[in-house]
Amino acid sequence: MSKMRGRVLIPLPNTGAMGRKRNNFYMRSIFILALCIFGLLQYHNFNYLDSRDAMLSDSVTNDSVDAILSMVPATLHKYLTPHSRNHSSSGAALVLNASSAALGVSGMASATTISFDAYRPPNISEIKRHIIRYNEMQLVLNEDTFGPLQNDSVIIVIQVHTRINYLRHLIVSLAQARDISKSLLIFSHDYYDDDINDLVQQIDFCKVLQIFYPYSIQTHPHEYPGVDPNDCPRNIKKEQALISNCNNALYPDLYGHYREAKFTQTKHHWWWKANRVFNELEVTRFHTGLVLFLEEDHYVAEDFLYLLAMMQQRTKDLCPQCNILSLGTYLKTFNYYTYHKVEAMPWISSKHNMGFAFNRTTWKSIRRCAQHFCSYDDYNWDWSLQHVSQQCLQRKLHAMIVKGPRVFHIGECGVHHKNKNCESNQVISKVQHVLRIARNSHQLFPRSLMMTVPSLLKKSKLRKGNGGWGDLRDHELCMNMTLPTR
């Protein structure tokens, strides 16, 4: 016992307990820090969403002309302002006559000698003459300012009908895009209109070329490809059609209906313009870069060319099988944090037919399948193109799609849709606000692209066409457009 009393007991440190306490302290600290960061992010996100929702809700009601003009730089208001023709001469005629005089065309007056007391719309014969001259001249406006087309320049082909109000806003959006001065805008018209021509010829921010579909309903109102008086009515039964001996009575579409010119024209026009741009125009003869397809009721973001170039550069490592780049998607709501993300999937006509681009190599493979395109019983060019991909192409159409759209659809009325108010500015206003939010939150002009895995896709089935394309005259006209002209 005496020995035990003389000892000094020194407690050994409990290193395990101390380590656990230290770890618990660190874990609590990290958890509290993470909680604070999460709270700050949520606060920022809620404020952002609230401001976004407020802006979008304002856009629904604040769609007046003044409100829309306020979102457009003052220098571009000229594209949104209609000009009266009552006491002015035709701008289209001026360009044609001035150009023809320069080319030495006989019988053409000098542009300085033309004057009209009152505007008189051209008749069908005059329209046909103007169309022939435009298509023969292939005059590239502003080429002296912006120089010749370069091989890496983007050609933007815009299909135009009669909706000048939408076209005005498309032009305004194009004018605000970065690097637009390097592009060539090709306006492909299936309706000759002096007001539309004046608007297009006002463009001063890049090179411009107009081409005119020569087989339109406007120039053939009472004969094929317009409406021939002896054409079979749409809903007549085949037996009655044979008795009446109406045109092409033997060939209704797969639903038993006969052709309607207003529907067949769009597919003819799309196929004609693609052949015209890739195979017939002198300015595009040696161009192997991208050709981007738009329509008159589209609207582009200011970074659409920037992003298109980035997608093209990244194709080799992100999606080697992709031969189409798509800038437009049909979304009802927009997630602004997806503006740098892309995904890849087979090209689907109903989803990827807006703002898509491909090059001459892809076009050549499509053109070799002309018979499939021209004989497929569907009056939609995009459904016909998907049929070509599924049934003819060795290398199917595969698209890289941007998740945050750079091309928007602003048209509320068209071939398939007739709203009560076709002049409503509500969609235009909403798109302006969507892009302002994306701009203010620094989502445009991303520094890099991120490939995401698309949601599970159902295997695309071979679909039955929509019909409207059973007339053999349409098959033949379509195929004749594919014949080489040079």
Side-chain angles (χ1 to χ4, degrees), residues 175-412:
Q176 297 177 80
R178 182 189 291 184
D179 293 330
I180 191 64
S181 61
K182 300 177 183 178
S183 299
L184 168 64
L185 292 185
I186 299 180
F187 292 84
S188 184
H189 306 264
D190 60 26
Y191 190 87
Y192 185 93
D193 180 83
D194 282 329
D195 288 331
I196 292 177
N197 293 339
D198 285 352
L199 172 63
V200 169
Q201 290 160 19
Q202 269 189 283
I203 293 174
D204 56 9
F205 51 82
C206 67
K207 296 182 287 292
V208 174
L209 172 64
Q210 287 179 278
I211 59 178
F212 289 83
Y213 174 61
Y215 313 112
S216 68
I217 299 172
Q218 183 192 30
T219 55
H220 301 77
H222 307 301
E223 60 181 335
Y224 180 86
V227 183
D228 190 298
N230 195 45
D231 280 348
C232 300
R234 177 185 185 273
N235 294 321
I236 193 173
K237 299 298 182 184
K238 185 176 181 180
E239 295 76 14
Q240 295 174 304
L242 291 170
I243 294 172
S244 66
N245 197 30
C246 55
N247 292 335
N248 214 39
L250 287 170
Y251 301 102
D253 69 11
L254 56 86
Y255 298 101
H257 301 303
Y258 290 93
R259 83 183 293 269
E260 294 178 273
K262 64 181 178 181
F263 294 123
T264 59
Q265 176 170 274
T266 304
K267 178 174 172 176
H268 279 308
H269 183 184
W270 192 92
W271 188 245
W272 175 84
K273 79 177 180 190
N275 278 278
R276 180 78 174 160
V277 169
F278 282 105
N279 303 325
E280 299 177 9
L281 296 177
E282 286 302 316
V283 69
T284 62
R285 178 188 284 266
F286 303 109
H287 184 266
T288 58
L290 288 175
V291 176
L292 175 69
F293 291 87
L294 298 176
E295 297 181 17
E296 64 185 3
D297 61 347
H298 290 169
Y299 193 100
V300 300
E302 61 203 67
D303 69 339
F304 84 103
L305 287 171
Y306 169 90
L307 195 77
L308 187 64
M310 183 179 288
M311 292 169 71
Q312 185 182 24
Q313 293 169 0
R314 297 296 309 277
T315 300
K316 289 184 180 179
D317 58 302
L318 290 180
C319 183
Q321 75 273 29
C322 288
N323 47 15
I324 284 186
L325 304 177
S326 181
L327 295 175
T329 50
Y330 295 93
L331 299 176
K332 293 183 178 180
T333 58
F334 301 95
N335 182 347
Y336 305 99
Y337 294 104
T338 64
Y339 269 57
H340 67 293
K341 296 179 180 179
V342 294
E343 57 186 8
M345 65 182 68
W347 189 80
I348 301 173
S349 61
S350 59
K351 294 183 178 180
H352 311 136
N353 61 358
M354 179 173 59
F356 68 96
F358 53 77
N359 60 19
R360 187 179 296 275
T361 300
T362 301
W363 166 248
K364 285 181 177 178
S365 64
I366 292 172
R367 190 168 180 264
R368 283 192 288 267
C369 296
Q371 187 65 50
H372 284 77
F373 183 92
C374 291
S375 62
Y376 183 55
D377 193 357
D378 194 305
Y379 66 94
N380 297 288
W381 62 263
D382 50 349
W383 280 61
S384 303
L385 197 59
Q386 183 164 335
H387 174 77
V388 165
S389 176
Q390 292 176 328
Q391 292 295 296
C392 181
L393 295 181
Q394 289 185 342
R395 183 185 175 193
K396 310 299 182 189
L397 297 179
H398 208 89
M400 181 190 292
I401 306 110
V402 61
K403 297 196 71 175
R406 267 39 177 216
V407 176
F408 300 82
H409 183 252
I410 60 174
E412 293 189 287

Side-chain angles (χ1 to χ4, degrees), residues 13-113:
N14 190 339
T15 54
M18 292 180 64
R20 283 194 295 272
K21 289 181 180 179
R22 189 181 300 114
N23 288 341
N24 288 338
F25 174 77
Y26 289 149
M27 290 297 292
R28 282 196 298 271
S29 300
I30 292 172
F31 176 77
I32 292 170
L33 181 62
L35 200 60
C36 292
I37 293 173
F38 178 78
L40 287 172
L41 288 175
Q42 287 295 100
Y43 176 78
H44 175 270
N45 191 44
F46 286 144
N47 284 341
Y48 173 74
L49 290 175
D50 288 343
S51 62
R52 181 194 72 178
D53 292 340
M55 292 176 72
L56 287 180
S57 63
D58 286 343
S59 72
V60 174
T61 56
N62 193 11
D63 56 3
S64 65
V65 173
D66 289 340
I68 289 176
L69 280 175
S70 69
M71 300 280 284
V72 176
T75 56
L76 302 181
H77 286 188
K78 61 183 179 180
Y79 299 121
L80 299 176
T81 308
H83 299 282
S84 172
R85 289 184 151 272
N86 292 335
H87 301 287
S88 63
S89 59
S90 166
L94 290 177
V95 171
L96 276 172
N97 289 332
S99 303
S100 299
L103 293 171
V105 178
S106 61
M108 296 296 292
S110 168
T112 58
T113 64

